[in-house]
C-alpha cells in the first residue's frame, strides 16, 4: 500500500516508516516539523534504503492533505500528527484541542473527499478513566481524565466511531499506546524531546549522558511492589510493527486495540536497567508524587494478538540498551 504518515517525522512515525518499507509498503510523510526534525526523515530513508518523500506542512490543512493524498495516490493514512506533552496540555488546552482535533478532522475530511478509506489512529492508554493493571479495551473510557491531552485522544476516538457510522466503507484502527520507549537498533534514530523531557526514559537517558544532573523519582509510596510507579514500556520498534499489523488487518468498521507488552516495569526497574547498560550508578533522588500520576498502568495485550497476530517481542532491557545507544551516539539528538 501507499501510506501517508501525518506527523511521520516524529519518534513513532519515523520508526514506523522504516518497518512499513521493510514490509514492501511505500511511505510519504507529512509533518510541519513543529516538534520533529527533517534529519529524522533523512536517517530513516538511509536505514530503509529508499528516499522517503517529506511534505512539510500541517495535517490540519484539509486542502493540503487532499493534495498529498491525490498526488501520491495514497491508499491509507496513519495519523500520528498532534501535540503530545501531557503537562503542556494543562497549560495550553485550547492549542491542544485545536491542533489535535483539527488535524484529525481535516485528515478524515480530506480522506472522504479523495475516497481514501483506510485510517489508523495514534491513541493512548491515557483514555482509560481508571488506570490499573492489565487494562482491556472494554475498560471505562471517557472524559473524566487527568489532562486535556488525554481528552483530545478520547474525543478523536469518538469522532472516528461516528465517521465510521456515517460511512460504512471506512476501515479504521484505533491504537492505544502504552509507554513507547527505546530506539532503532542502529542508534541512528530515536526520541528527541525538545527542552526538559517529561517522560521517564528520555530523562534517564539524559542523566546517563550527563545532560541532566539527576533523576527525580516521583514518589516511592505507591501501592506497587517497590513503591514506585509501574508502566507498560513498549519498544518503539514493536509499536511500529503493531501499526503495520493493524494496517494489514483493516476491515470495514473500527478496531480498537491496546499496543502494550502486558508486563509492568517500575521507575526503579527502568533506572536499574539503565545503570546496567551504562555500567555505573546514576544519580537520583526520591521526591513527591507528580500530580495526576497513577500507581499502575499496564495493557492486556490479548486482543492485539488475536486480531492482528501481533505481540511485543522486545524486553525493557532491549529498549534501554537501544535508547542508550541512540543517546550516546547523539547526545544532543538530531542537532548533532
Ligand atoms: N517518572 C519519574 N521521574 C521523571 C519522569 C517520570 O519518576 O522524571 C515516573 C512517573 O511518575 C511514572 C513513570 O515514571 O510513574 C512514567 O512516567 P512517564 O511520564 O514516562 O509516562 P506516563 O506517566 O505518561 O505513563
Amino acid at each position: 500500500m501507499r501510506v501517508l504518515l501525518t506527523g511521520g517525522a516524529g519518534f513513532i512515525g519515523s520508526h514506523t516508516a522504516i518497518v512499513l518499507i521493510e514490509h514492501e509498503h511505500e511511505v510519504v510523510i507529512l509533518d510541519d516539523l513543529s516538534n520533529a526534525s527533517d534529519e529524522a526523515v533523512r536517517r530513516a530513508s538511509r536505514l530503509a534504503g529508499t528516499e522517503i518523500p517529506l511534505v512539510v506542512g500541517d495535517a490540519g490543512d484539509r486542502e493540503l492533505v487532499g493534495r498529498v493524498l491525490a498526488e501520491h495516490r495514497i491508499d491509507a493514512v496513519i495519523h500520528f500528527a498532534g501535540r503530545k506533552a501531557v503537562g503542556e496540555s494543562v497549560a495550553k488546552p485550547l492549542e491542544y484541542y485545536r491542533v489535535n482535533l483539527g488535524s484529525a478532522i481535516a485528515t478524515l475530511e480530506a480522506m472522504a473527499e479523495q475516497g481514501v478509506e483506510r485510517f489508523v489512529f495514534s491513541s493512548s492508554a491515557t483514555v482509560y478513566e481508571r488506570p490499573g493493571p492489565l487494562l482491556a479495551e472494554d475498560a471505562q473510557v471517557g472524559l473524566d481524565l487527568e489532562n486535556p491531552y488525554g481528552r483530545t485522544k478520547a474525543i478523536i476516538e469518538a469522532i472516528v466511531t461516528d465517521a465510521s457510522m456515517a460511512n460504512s466503507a471506512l476501515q479504521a484502527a484505533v491504537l492505544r499506546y502504552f509507554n513507547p520507549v527505546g530506539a532503532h537498533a542502529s542508534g541512528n534514530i530515536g526520541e528527541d524531546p525538545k527542552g526538559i523531557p517529561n517522560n521517564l526514559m528520555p530523562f534517564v537517558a539524559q542523566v546517563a549522558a550527563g545532560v541532566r544532573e539527576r533523576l527525580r523519582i516521583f514518589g516511592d509510596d505507591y501501592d506497587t511492589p517497590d513503591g514506585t510507579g509501574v508502566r507498560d514500556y513498549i519498544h518503539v520498534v514493536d509499536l511500529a510493527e503493531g501499526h503495520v499489523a493493524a494496517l494489514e488487518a483493516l476491515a470495514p468498521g473500527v478496531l480498537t486495540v491496546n499496543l502494550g507488552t502486558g508486563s509492568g516495569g517500575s521507575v526503579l526497574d527502568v533506572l536499574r536497567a539503565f545503570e546496567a547498560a551504562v555500567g555505573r550508578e546514576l544519580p537520583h533522588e526520591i521526591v513527591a508524587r507528580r500530580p495526576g500520576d497513577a500507581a499502575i498502568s499496564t495493557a492486556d495485550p490479548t486482543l492485539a494478538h488475536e486480531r492482528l497476530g501481533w505481540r511485543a517481542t522486545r524486553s525493557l532491557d532491549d529498549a534501554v540498551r537501544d535508547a542508550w545507544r541512540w543517546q550516546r551516539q547523539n547526545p544532543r539528538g538530531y542537532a548533532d
Side-chain angles (χ1 to χ4, degrees):
M1 279 184 253
R2 277 184 287 271
V3 189
L4 174 64
L5 310 188
T6 69
F11 176 43
I12 302 170
S14 55
H15 289 81
T16 302
I18 293 171
V19 178
L20 281 164
I21 293 164
E22 286 169 356
H23 283 74
E24 315 282 314
H25 297 290
E26 288 172 43
V27 171
V28 176
I29 289 177
L30 171 65
D31 200 304
D32 67 2
L33 303 180
S34 59
N35 189 28
S37 167
D38 53 0
E39 178 62 14
V41 179
R42 278 195 289 278
R43 294 190 189 185
S45 296
R46 221 174 300 135
L47 290 167
T50 185
E51 178 83 20
I52 301 169
L54 167 66
V55 180
V56 179
D58 180 1
D61 179 342
R62 184 172 113 196
E63 278 173 29
L64 172 64
V65 177
R67 267 203 312 280
V68 175
L69 294 176
E71 274 170 21
H72 292 272
R73 293 180 293 126
I74 294 294
D75 302 302
V77 176
I78 305 182
H79 182 61
F80 295 104
R83 299 273 185 267
K84 62 173 186 180
V86 171
E88 186 186 57
S89 77
V90 177
K92 300 179 178 172
L94 300 180
E95 180 179 321
Y96 272 65
Y97 286 112
R98 174 173 50 79
V99 172
N100 290 8
L101 272 54
S103 65
I105 293 167
T107 299
L108 284 163
E109 285 186 324
M111 288 173 56
E113 284 162 7
Q114 298 296 328
V116 178
E117 311 286 11
R118 297 183 181 91
F119 186 72
V120 176
F121 173 58
S122 299
S123 191
S124 165
T126 58
V127 299
Y128 292 118
E129 288 187 336
R130 287 190 287 277
L134 298 176
L135 290 158
E137 287 80 357
D138 59 3
Q140 176 72 33
V141 169
L143 298 183
D144 185 13
L145 304 172
E146 293 291 340
N147 55 74
Y149 164 77
R151 275 187 282 279
T152 68
K153 294 294 181 185
I155 294 168
I156 297 167
E157 288 198 3
I159 290 171
V160 174
T161 302
D162 289 339
S164 160
M165 301 283 240
N167 174 11
S168 58
L170 188 65
Q171 306 183 21
V174 167
L175 307 180
R176 293 184 181 148
Y177 307 160
F178 280 70
N179 289 58
V181 292
H184 192 268
S186 64
N188 288 339
I189 63 169
E191 190 169 11
D192 184 20
K194 284 218 168 92
I196 302 171
N198 296 301
N199 294 115
L200 176 64
M201 186 79 79
F203 199 101
V204 181
Q206 292 193 3
V207 173
V211 180
R212 311 266 159 217
E213 200 183 330
R214 67 163 62 84
L215 171 68
R216 293 184 308 141
I217 296 175
F218 299 142
D220 68 350
D221 57 353
Y222 284 105
D223 185 13
T224 59
D226 66 22
T228 66
V230 169
R231 296 290 182 274
D232 187 328
Y233 295 98
I234 174 167
H235 195 296
V236 64
V237 178
D238 279 328
L239 194 63
E241 290 171 357
H243 288 73
V244 178
L247 183 77
E248 293 177 350
L250 284 173
V254 184
L255 173 65
T256 300
V257 292
N258 289 333
L259 293 183
T261 67
S263 308
S266 72
V267 179
L268 288 173
D269 289 335
V270 171
L271 178 66
R272 290 201 193 100
F274 240 97
E275 289 177 335
V278 176
R280 63 186 160 83
E281 284 188 15
L282 298 175
H284 59 275
E285 62 180 333
I286 310 287
V287 300
R289 291 182 180 191
R290 183 170 66 180
D293 273 355
I296 302 185
S297 169
T298 63
D300 177 346
T302 309
L303 191 68
H305 189 241
E306 281 173 7
R307 299 293 297 271
L308 309 180
W310 168 91
R311 62 160 57 113
T313 60
R314 294 163 181 85
S315 68
L316 179 60
D317 285 338
D318 294 332
V320 163
R321 267 194 301 272
D322 290 337
W324 175 232
R325 187 178 304 109
W326 152 253
Q327 181 71 46
R328 210 178 44 218
Q329 292 178 13
N330 307 271
R332 295 184 307 126
Y334 292 113
D336 285 313

